[in-house]
Amino acid sequence: MSSNSRQPELQSKPATEPDPDRNHPDSGNVQPPDVGQFEETAAVEVQAVNAAPSNEGAERDDPRLRKAEETLDLTMKEFLNVLKNDIDTGEVHTPLDSEPNSEQQIGKNNVVIELINSVIGLDEESRSRQRILTFAARRYASALERNPEDYDAFYNWALVLQESADNVSPESRSPSKDDLLKEACRMYDEATRLCPTLNDAYYNWAIAISDQAKIHGRTNEAEELWKQATKKYEKAVQLNWNNPQALNNWGLALQELSMIVPAREKQTIVKTAISKFRAAIQLQFDFHRAIYNLGTVLYGLAEDISRTKRNMNTKDVSPDELYSQSAIYIAAAHSLKPNYSVYTNALMLVRSMLPLPYLKVGYLTAPPLGNLVAPHSSWQRLQFVLNHEALQEIDNINQISSTSGDSSTSTKPVIRVNIPDIVSVSASSDLTLPPGAGLCINTIEETVLLIAESWEHLEGWLDAIRLVYTIFTRGKTDVLASTIST
């Protein structure tokens, strides 16, 4: 494999969307009610084709809210087709085709080959897939016998082991899924020892560890495994920061870890997970899986704070605000993928938490209309609403109930930013602005500067405006409009 094929651009190709309702557990554990997550997925390159071991989701305790699966740019099926083509053309080499230079390596290889050979498969399709994987394993064994420092071979063999683990019957004791995943992790360890910058190996290693953790449930062993997975995701992101998928999976691993650790540690880990989902969205605004996952983790945090009745700092976001934020993200994910029943079902649960007929309502401090350099004393704290059409100032409570978006009962000019006119939305650290967290919206006509009450509140406004704009650019505004209409 050439060096330029080891680190594929994950977002350079459109994702292949699977049926999100496959393999949904209907009951589960301690976090109520988690509106489902998208699962970790391997994004890997084998023989210049991305391949993904599928991963079964962790369970949740609200049967109404089900889990959805993640996907990849390219599928394992395509990888298997490449391998099958190599087999048909005679390009797959077995250990007999080479002169081995390490008896110890041969012995290790034979143990792993035997492990893969013992995987039967649940049906004819999986058995056919396993036969191809077995040929691939021999190919990588041959490569390692010729060159024990071939990190590509270690890496690719690890992928084969991960995929083989998915072919193991739940009732199988020999081999077990855990056995195959342990061998995959050993292969990733070898690959990264030989090539410490192989970020895809760290990424898929984290997924293999996560799959192991799921086997162990809510035990001390699982806690340690989830911690290891988060460290591997962290390393993958350090090596390739422009990887929203890794950030999303990192957030999921943290979310799982938060359900095992002592209560005093839980909220800190959850808030870290929130930051990873948010970072993934900031890299890819239409990443609906991360958007949805952020909604679920915010919902869980609101539930936790409400249940524990923790004393809140005045700067903390209240549970009601967290519920509302959760609903915003779930509504946005639904708008981007309205045919996903997981999103539809979740939206039915949280829709009442939105300030209908708006997506978001809150206070922002604004300068006098058209005067961004007005003295601080002239800026006013005003109520704003955001819907599918615009961000608009509302100057009194009666106007909220009477405004439809295009018109107002007030004769006073108001600040209004139409969604189609937006060029960019960002935080502003301009020291000349009044105290607070600055929000800068550039439109085709002007720049609008507003001040949020805190940086936490600012993040909510930034995400909400960006999501509405993304929904508009994807041609899904009508879906959002129907969601928030009363």
Side-chain angles (χ1 to χ4, degrees):
M1 177 182 292
S2 62
S3 59
N4 63 2
S5 68
R6 297 185 191 113
Q7 300 182 25
E9 291 295 328
L10 298 180
Q11 302 306 325
S12 63
K13 316 176 195 67
T16 302
E17 303 294 354
D19 178 359
D21 296 323
R22 292 184 305 159
N23 303 325
H24 294 304
D26 289 330
S27 61
N29 57 46
V30 291
Q31 182 175 328
D34 186 299
V35 281
Q37 303 175 18
F38 269 106
E39 196 45 77
E40 304 102 330
T41 303
V44 298
E45 186 164 354
V46 183
Q47 299 304 106
V49 179
N50 287 334
S54 60
N55 297 299
E56 193 169 304
E59 297 180 346
R60 291 292 180 269
D61 69 348
D62 192 328
R64 297 170 297 171
L65 305 173
R66 305 195 307 178
K67 189 176 176 67
E69 283 190 320
E70 183 56 283
T71 186
L72 282 199
D73 297 326
L74 295 176
T75 66
M76 193 59 167
K77 182 177 179 181
E78 291 170 306
F79 164 50
L80 294 171
N81 286 338
V82 171
L83 292 176
K84 186 175 184 301
N85 181 66
D86 287 346
I87 293 167
D88 293 341
T89 57
E91 294 181 9
V92 174
H93 303 289
T94 70
L96 297 177
D97 298 322
S98 61
E99 295 185 5
N101 59 11
S102 170
E103 290 186 6
Q104 184 180 13
Q105 186 65 56
I106 293 174
K108 288 181 180 179
N109 290 351
N110 288 340
V111 170
V112 182
I113 290 290
E114 184 61 32
L115 189 64
I116 294 175
N117 280 338
S118 60
V119 178
I120 303 301
L122 299 174
D123 51 35
E124 183 55 40
E125 181 182 354
S126 63
R127 287 190 287 271
S128 175
R129 183 165 62 246
Q130 193 58 40
R131 285 192 291 271
I132 298 173
L133 290 168
T134 301
F135 275 108
R138 293 173 183 169
R139 179 182 202 171
Y140 304 133
S142 177
L144 286 171
E145 288 172 18
R146 290 193 300 270
N147 177 12
E149 295 190 352
D150 185 345
Y151 55 85
D152 274 337
F154 277 116
Y155 172 58
N156 292 340
W157 201 348
L159 298 176
V160 168
L161 284 158
Q162 274 185 283
E163 179 67 11
S164 295
D166 277 346
N167 283 337
V168 173
S169 167
E171 293 79 24
S172 174
R173 294 189 177 181
S174 180
S176 70
K177 184 171 184 176
D178 196 38
D179 292 336
L180 290 157
L181 291 171
K182 284 179 181 177
E183 280 298 328
C185 290
R186 185 179 70 81
M187 297 286 187
Y188 286 130
D189 193 11
E190 288 292 329
T192 55
R193 179 183 63 81
L194 294 166
C195 182
T197 59
L198 197 59
N199 65 286
D200 286 342
Y202 285 105
Y203 180 58
N204 291 290
W205 190 359
I207 292 172
I209 296 172
S210 298
D211 285 346
Q212 284 184 282
K214 294 166 193 171
I215 294 171
H216 291 277
R218 301 299 174 196
T219 62
N220 291 337
E221 291 84 355
E223 179 181 348
E224 181 58 32
L225 287 166
W226 284 119
K227 287 178 179 178
Q228 291 178 26
T230 62
K231 290 177 182 177
K232 296 298 182 287
Y233 282 126
E234 181 178 15
K235 184 66 175 179
V237 171
Q238 287 174 350
L239 291 170
N240 179 16
W241 63 267
N242 188 23
N243 189 340
Q245 186 68 268
L247 287 162
N248 176 63
N249 291 359
W250 189 358
L252 287 171
L254 287 164
Q255 193 173 3
E256 293 287 351
L257 178 61
S258 73
M259 290 183 254
I260 305 176
V261 298
R264 64 181 179 276
E265 302 176 30
K266 180 174 182 177
Q267 288 190 14
T268 299
I269 295 174
V270 167
K271 289 179 179 178
T272 305
I274 289 171
S275 71
K276 304 310 171 189
F277 291 133
R278 186 162 272 139
I281 296 169
Q282 288 169 356
L283 285 176
Q284 184 182 340
F285 293 143
D286 65 349
F287 191 2
H288 58 89
R289 299 172 182 84
I291 294 167
Y292 180 69
N293 288 334
L294 181 51
T296 70
V297 75
L298 287 168
Y299 189 102
L301 180 60
E303 289 279 282
D304 187 57
I305 293 175
S306 298
R307 183 171 54 251
T308 58
K309 297 181 168 41
R310 179 173 62 88
N311 292 329
M312 296 183 60
N313 187 292
T314 54
K315 293 184 179 180
D316 287 343
V317 179
S318 69
D320 286 345
E321 176 63 18
L322 289 171
Y323 281 126
S324 181
Q325 287 183 23
S326 169
I328 289 171
Y329 293 108
I330 292 171
H334 169 75
S335 296
L336 289 168
K337 289 290 179 182
N339 294 329
Y340 273 31
S341 62
V342 173
Y343 297 170
T344 302
N345 294 337
L347 181 61
M348 290 172 62
L349 183 71
V350 302
R351 182 176 178 273
S352 62
M353 299 171 184
L354 293 171
L356 303 174
Y358 302 103
L359 187 68
K360 185 173 177 63
V361 174
Y363 285 92
L364 295 166
T365 300
L369 197 63
N371 187 5
L372 296 179
V373 296
H376 292 182
S377 58
S378 299
W379 289 55
Q380 290 184 296
R381 185 172 181 267
L382 303 169
Q383 195 164 31
F384 281 78
V385 296
L386 174 68
N387 64 7
H388 60 288
E389 294 179 326
L391 172 72
Q392 181 172 318
E393 167 199 340
I394 299 293
D395 64 355
N396 61 65
I397 194 65
N398 293 327
Q399 195 172 335
I400 289 182
S401 59
S402 61
T403 301
S404 62
D406 292 324
S407 61
S408 171
T409 58
S410 172
T411 57
K412 168 182 170 291
V414 298
I415 298 172
R416 178 182 170 93
V417 178
N418 293 316
I419 297 301
D421 295 342
I422 292 176
V423 175
S424 66
V425 182
S426 62
S428 175
S429 57
D430 189 337
L431 298 179
T432 66
L433 296 175
L439 170 62
C440 178
I441 307 174
N442 289 310
T443 74
I444 58 177
E445 295 180 349
E446 61 180 343
T447 297
V448 178
L449 289 175
L450 303 166
I451 306 295
E453 296 175 342
S454 67
W455 289 105
E456 289 77 11
H457 285 90
L458 174 64
E459 285 182 330
W461 279 110
L462 283 171
D463 281 355
I465 296 169
R466 287 168 174 166
L467 288 171
V468 174
Y469 179 78
T470 300
I471 290 165
F472 161 73
T473 61
R474 299 299 180 269
K476 300 296 179 64
T477 297
D478 58 331
V479 181
L480 179 60
S482 64
T483 295
I484 61 178
S485 63
T486 54

